[in-house]
């Protein structure tokens, strides 16, 4: 069964840094796009950053210049390096992957990891 598991969230002060990781598992053949999204209470989930299998990246305007997405295709892992964090970055961060496995295909989500930035 395909699973995406995030790690690396936590509490950090304004201006600090965190690195999120997400590992995809489950007899995966290939992963096209991987990404990070975030959601705050009462709001829709929003795009943070995405990266393709050939490392083409896309960022939300609000994080450009502060966040960096990367991936290790051999490990089916995507990372999000978050620098110069602001209180408005506080959210639950979700990993997302568009993938093909031996038994299924489609878009999968992780369970989410909380990031809290204190002012």
């Amino acid at each position: 069964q395909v699973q995406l598991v995030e790690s690396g969230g936590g509490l950090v002060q304004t201006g600090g840094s965190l690195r999120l990781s997400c590992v995809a598992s489950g007899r995966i053949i290939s992963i096209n796009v991987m990404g990070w999204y975030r959601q705050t209470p009462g709001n829709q989930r929003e795009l943070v950053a995405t990266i393709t299998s050939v490392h083409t990246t896309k960022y939300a305007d609000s994080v450009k210049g502060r966040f960096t997405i990367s991936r290790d295709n051999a490990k089916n892992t995507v990372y999000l390096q978050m620098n110069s964090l602001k209180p408005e970055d506080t959210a639950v961060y979700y990993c997302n992957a568009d993938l093909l496995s031996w038994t299924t295909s489609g878009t999968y989500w992780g369970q989410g990891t909380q990031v809290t930035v204190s002012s």
Side-chain angles (χ1 to χ4, degrees), residues 38-51:
R38 65 188 181 187
Q39 188 170 23
T40 54
N43 294 306
Q44 289 189 334
R45 197 169 294 185
E46 64 176 9
L47 169 74
V48 176
T50 61
I51 184 167

Side-chain angles (χ1 to χ4, degrees), residues 58-102:
K58 175 183 176 181
Y59 294 93
D61 288 342
S62 59
V63 306
K64 282 180 181 176
R66 301 188 298 121
F67 291 9
T68 302
I69 189 170
S70 60
R71 64 188 279 178
D72 185 331
N73 290 335
K75 296 180 179 179
N76 291 333
T77 300
V78 63
Y79 306 96
L80 185 68
Q81 177 66 44
M82 304 185 293
N83 299 328
S84 302
L85 282 161
K86 305 175 181 180
E88 51 264 43
D89 295 317
T90 296
V92 178
Y93 283 70
Y94 296 90
C95 171
N96 167 283
D98 180 19
L99 60 82
L100 173 68
S101 76
W102 286 103

